[in-house]
Amino acid sequence: MITLQNIIIPEPEICSEHSLYYHEQGAAGFSRSTGSFSVPRSSRLCFDTYFNLFNLAIWTAACDLQSLYAEVTGRGRAEVRLVHARPGRSWEVVYCEVAELSPDSPHRADLSALAAAGLDGLLYLEILSLDELVTIESARFAIAEMPQDLPRLAVSITTFQREAEVQRTVRRLQEFLGGFAYGNRIHVQVVDNGQSAGIEASRHTTPYLNRNLGGAGGFARGLLEAEDGGFSHCLFMDDDASFHMENILRAYMLLALARDPRTALAGAMINNTHKWRMWENGAWFDGACRPLFNGTDLRDPAAVRKMAFAAAGPQPATLYGGWWFFAFPVAHVRRHPFPFFVRGDDISFSLANDFRIVTLNGVVSFQDDFTEKESPQTLYLDLRNHLIHHLVFDKLERSALGTAKIAIRFMMRSMLRCKYDSAEAQLLAWQDVMQGPQFFDDNIDMSARRAAIKALVRDEIWQDTASQPLPGRARFSRLPRRLRHYLGLLTLNGHLLPFWTRFGDRMRLDISGRGLVFPAFGGARLTYLSTDGSKAYTVRHSKARFFSLAWRMTKTLRAFCSSYPQLRAAYRKGYGEMTARPYWEKTLNRPGTREAA
C-alpha cells in the first residue's frame, strides 16, 4: 500500500490545538510521548477534523485514483467506521466492521468503489472501543499502486539572515525525505540571499549563494535551478517550515497522480496568534487580496466541512497561491517572477501562469500575523503590486479612475487612522509606479527605497510600551457602533471638525484593532500595541499632515489618469520582458551561466 494521506497528530512545535486533529466522545485521550490514542470501552475517536478529513471530491477530481483504502493500526477490539459526508444530503456509513486490531497487521477497508464513482464529499474515520482499552497507533488513506512516470520535485527555500530557522528546516526536511518512500525524487534547494545560512550540500540538499533581491529574486533563482536540474515540479516555501512534514507527502502524491498536468497546490495559512483560526484557504485578487474562509474556526466541525466542500467547487478566476507553500509544474511556467523584491510576487506569478490551483485540507503553513507585520514599508510594497496587477492583466483591467481608487483607498485607510507616515510611503509607492517598469529594474534591490521610507517615518516606530502614554478619556469610542461609524466617515475621523486634537479620545488599540479603520474612529491620539503588548507606538491627529497628503494625492491622481494609457502599455511590455528567463539569467548572473548580451 502507498500512503495518500496519514492521520496527523499534534506536534507542540507546530500546533497543539487538539481539536484540529481529532474529536473524542467519552474518555479517549492522546499520548504525546508515544504518539498514540487510548480509547476505553464505549468511547469514540473521530477524525472529522481539518487535518484529517479526506477530501474525496478533490482527490478524485484532481487525481486518477485506481484504488482507495483506509487502514488502521493498533491494539484491541473496536468498531471501525468510515463516514461519507456529502453537501446537501444525508451522510452514509460506507464501511462498518468490528475488528481485532493488531500492530503487525493493519485493518484495511476497501473504498475503491467510491473512488471509481467520482463522488463528491468527504470521508472520515471513526473508532468505537469495544474492549477495556483500544490503542490506535496510526491510520491512513492509501492506494495500491503509483504511475510509472513519477515527478521530480525541487523544494525551493529562499532565506535571508535567518540562519537558525533555515538550518532547522533543512534538518527536518532531510529527516523526512530519508524515510519517505519517494524521498529520492525530491531535492531541497536553499537560496541564500544573505550568504550566511551555512547550509552544507548533501544527498538531499543543495545551497545556492544569491544576491539579495528579496523573495522575488530568491524564488526566481530557485526556479532557474529547478529548470536546469530537470525537475518536473517546484515547491516554493518559507525558510521556517512551520508546518507538518505531511504537507510534503500530500503535495507529492497529489502532483504524482494529477490528471491535469497544470495542477498546482496552494497551501493554506493559519495565523500564529490564534492557531485555531484560518487566515486563508487560498485567496483571490481583485483590487485587494481576498482570503478565502478568513476567520473560520477550525475547531468547529461544521465550519471545517463547509470550507472543505467549497474547496472542491468552482474557484475564482484570479485564485493565487502564497509562496509560504506553493507547488507547481515547471513545464507550465510561462512567466518567471516579477522583480517586486517582496510582496505581490506570488499573486503575480499565479495570475501570469496557466495553473490549475487546488487546496487540500491539512496542507497549511503557520505564519505570523500579517497585521503584526504592517508598517510603512510593507504598505509601500503592497500598493505597488496592487496597482501593477491591474495595469498588466486583462482579467483585472479597470479604467484609470477605477485603478486609482485602489491607491486612494490605501491612503485613506492610513490617514483616517492618523498613520500619516504610512500614507506618505503609499503616496511614494503610487508615484514610483508612475515612473514605469524601468523603475523596478533600477531599484531591484530596494536599498534606496528602503532608506527613503525609513527617512519618512516619524511616529510609527516600535518602542517599549512603558514609554507610551496611557489611554485617556473615552467619549466618542463609547458611542453606539452605528453612530460612531457615521461620525468617523462623515467627519473623516475628526479631520473636518475644529479642535479635534482637544476633544478626540486617547485610545490604545491591541493587535485585533490595529489593521482596521473602525477601531480608530473617535480617536485623536492612538497608541497601537504589538501582539504581545511589549511594544507600541503612538500617532496623533494632525490636520496639517492630513490635508497636505490629500492635496498631493489629488495632484497625483490627475497625473495618473492623464498618463494611464501610456503607463498601461509600458507595463504590459515591460512585464513580459522582466518575467522572461533571460532577464533573470542576466540579473542574477549565476556561477556557471553566461550573462546575456
Side-chain angles (χ1 to χ4, degrees):
M1 291 290 109
I2 301 159
T3 303
L4 271 185
Q5 180 174 311
N6 285 302
I7 294 297
I8 308 178
I9 58 177
E11 291 183 60
E13 298 82 6
I14 306 297
C15 178
S16 59
E17 293 277 356
H18 284 223
S19 54
L20 273 61
Y21 300 86
Y22 66 93
H23 297 124
E24 75 281 359
Q25 296 175 17
F30 170 71
S31 169
R32 181 181 291 177
S33 61
T34 63
S36 63
F37 297 89
S38 295
V39 192
R41 186 184 296 277
S42 301
S43 295
R44 188 183 299 270
L45 194 62
C46 186
F47 295 102
D48 60 338
T49 58
Y50 173 68
F51 279 108
N52 289 320
L53 282 167
F54 184 85
N55 199 318
L56 182 67
I58 288 180
W59 278 106
T60 56
C63 300
D64 184 15
L65 299 186
Q66 298 295 318
S67 58
L68 180 64
Y69 300 89
E71 289 187 345
V72 184
T73 300
R75 297 174 186 272
R77 189 164 177 265
E79 178 192 87
V80 178
R81 182 181 294 191
L82 274 299
V83 180
H84 184 201
R86 305 183 70 182
R89 64 183 70 193
S90 61
W91 301 355
E92 294 183 49
V93 177
V94 294
Y95 181 89
C96 186
E97 290 292 339
V98 174
E100 195 68 41
L101 300 179
S102 166
D104 301 320
S105 178
H107 179 79
R108 182 176 299 156
D110 188 348
L111 305 171
S112 301
L114 286 176
L119 298 177
D120 61 358
L122 314 166
L123 292 173
Y124 65 87
L125 173 68
E126 283 188 0
I127 305 292
L128 174 64
S129 175
L130 303 177
D131 222 336
E132 287 303 310
L133 183 68
V134 169
T135 301
I136 303 299
E137 297 177 355
S138 64
R140 65 175 180 168
F141 291 91
I143 57 175
E145 59 183 20
M146 287 283 274
Q148 290 186 339
D149 188 15
L150 293 174
R152 292 186 65 227
L153 175 64
V155 177
S156 188
I157 301 169
T158 295
T159 187
F160 178 74
Q161 295 182 355
R162 285 163 54 91
E163 294 84 1
E165 290 86 350
V166 74
Q167 289 170 12
R168 184 171 58 249
T169 293
V170 170
R171 283 196 300 271
R172 291 184 67 219
L173 285 167
Q174 288 179 336
E175 289 172 6
F176 169 78
L177 295 177
F180 180 42
Y182 302 103
N184 63 340
R185 308 288 298 178
I186 301 175
H187 195 76
V188 179
Q189 304 176 163
V190 180
V191 179
D192 184 4
N193 281 356
Q195 304 189 19
S196 61
I199 301 298
E200 298 292 333
S202 70
R203 183 166 69 94
H204 287 300
T205 306
T206 302
Y208 297 100
L209 301 182
N210 201 52
R211 181 183 171 196
N212 182 26
L213 302 180
F219 286 118
R221 173 69 182 272
L223 178 53
L224 291 178
E225 300 298 345
E227 289 175 330
D228 290 350
F231 290 92
S232 62
H233 292 78
C234 188
L235 166 61
F236 288 167
M237 57 169 273
D238 278 346
D239 57 7
D240 60 1
S242 187
F243 57 74
H244 296 289
M245 285 294 113
E246 176 78 6
N247 271 20
I248 305 293
L249 185 151
R250 294 184 188 183
Y252 186 83
M253 297 304 293
L254 182 88
L255 299 173
L257 298 168
R259 299 176 188 272
D260 189 334
R262 299 173 301 154
T263 299
L265 177 63
M269 198 269 267
I270 293 175
N271 190 318
N272 272 328
T273 306
H274 299 293
K275 293 192 174 185
W276 49 265
R277 179 187 292 167
M278 178 62 71
W279 177 266
E280 70 176 53
N281 191 42
W284 59 286
F285 182 87
D286 188 359
C289 300
R290 304 179 188 277
L292 294 169
F293 288 91
N294 177 260
T296 295
D297 188 341
L298 300 175
R299 300 168 299 187
D300 179 357
V304 170
R305 288 193 299 270
K306 179 181 178 183
M307 183 176 68
F309 288 148
Q315 299 300 310
T318 56
L319 184 71
Y320 67 88
W323 282 355
W324 48 79
F325 195 95
F326 184 64
F328 57 90
V330 171
H332 287 269
V333 172
R334 300 292 176 263
R335 296 293 179 195
H336 286 236
F338 186 81
F340 282 116
F341 193 75
V342 294
R343 297 273 178 149
D345 37 13
D346 48 5
I347 303 170
S348 171
F349 189 69
S350 290
L351 295 176
N353 291 298
D354 185 24
F355 301 137
R356 181 181 178 271
I357 300 174
V358 298
T359 60
L360 269 179
N361 57 285
V363 178
V364 62
S365 180
F366 291 85
Q367 299 284 316
D368 290 337
D369 196 318
F370 275 11
T371 306
E372 176 80 8
K373 298 176 183 178
E374 183 180 287
S375 68
Q377 180 169 295
T378 62
L379 291 170
Y380 166 90
L381 295 164
D382 281 341
L383 180 53
R384 291 195 320 177
N385 77 70
H386 279 50
L387 292 172
I388 289 171
H389 300 328
H390 283 277
L391 287 164
V392 168
F393 297 111
D394 287 338
K395 51 191 166 187
L396 292 172
E397 187 168 346
R398 294 183 175 188
S399 66
L401 182 58
T403 304
K405 284 179 179 177
I406 298 168
I408 295 169
R409 187 186 72 247
F410 262 73
M411 290 187 64
M412 290 302 298
R413 179 175 171 270
S414 295
M415 292 158 65
L416 290 175
R417 295 181 293 158
C418 303
K419 292 192 172 188
Y420 310 115
D421 294 350
S422 290
E424 291 282 3
Q426 289 165 329
L427 182 61
L428 179 63
W430 193 1
Q431 293 168 346
D432 284 349
V433 168
M434 291 172 61
Q435 295 186 51
Q438 186 60 39
F439 171 84
F440 288 85
D441 190 45
D442 294 340
N443 292 271
I444 194 168
D445 66 359
M446 269 285 291
S447 57
R449 270 299 170 259
R450 280 180 283 171
I453 294 167
K454 185 177 180 179
L456 287 174
V457 178
R458 305 183 199 173
D459 303 318
E460 298 173 40
I461 302 171
W462 291 112
Q463 302 176 43
D464 289 339
T465 301
S467 68
Q468 300 300 295
L470 295 172
R473 59 181 179 272
R475 297 190 186 100
F476 302 103
S477 55
R478 291 183 176 179
L479 292 173
R481 183 178 179 88
R482 183 180 293 272
L483 182 58
R484 183 181 173 193
H485 174 77
Y486 284 116
L487 173 71
L489 286 181
L490 296 176
T491 69
L492 299 181
N493 198 21
H495 288 96
L496 299 180
L497 295 177
F499 309 114
W500 186 253
T501 301
R502 182 182 303 174
F503 296 117
D505 290 353
R506 276 67 174 147
M507 301 160 58
R508 278 196 172 193
L509 299 176
D510 63 19
I511 191 68
S512 64
R514 185 175 153 217
L516 304 174
V517 174
F518 176 80
F521 280 169
R525 189 190 72 201
L526 304 165
T527 299
Y528 291 97
L529 302 175
S530 63
T531 300
D532 63 6
S534 64
K535 300 290 183 180
Y537 62 78
T538 298
V539 295
R540 292 171 172 82
H541 174 93
S542 170
K543 286 182 173 59
R545 294 190 73 182
F546 182 93
F547 286 106
S548 171
L549 280 160
W551 172 244
R552 286 178 285 143
M553 181 173 66
T554 302
K555 292 197 297 182
T556 304
L557 170 63
R558 290 182 61 186
F560 180 79
C561 289
S562 65
S563 64
Y564 185 74
Q566 297 86 355
L567 192 64
R568 182 175 58 192
Y571 270 104
R572 295 195 174 194
K573 180 175 183 293
Y575 187 91
E577 295 169 351
M578 296 164 73
T579 57
R581 179 183 168 98
Y583 172 83
W584 283 109
E585 288 180 321
K586 177 181 178 180
T587 299
L588 294 171
N589 195 22
R590 298 172 294 155
T593 64
R594 285 193 310 162
E595 186 172 347

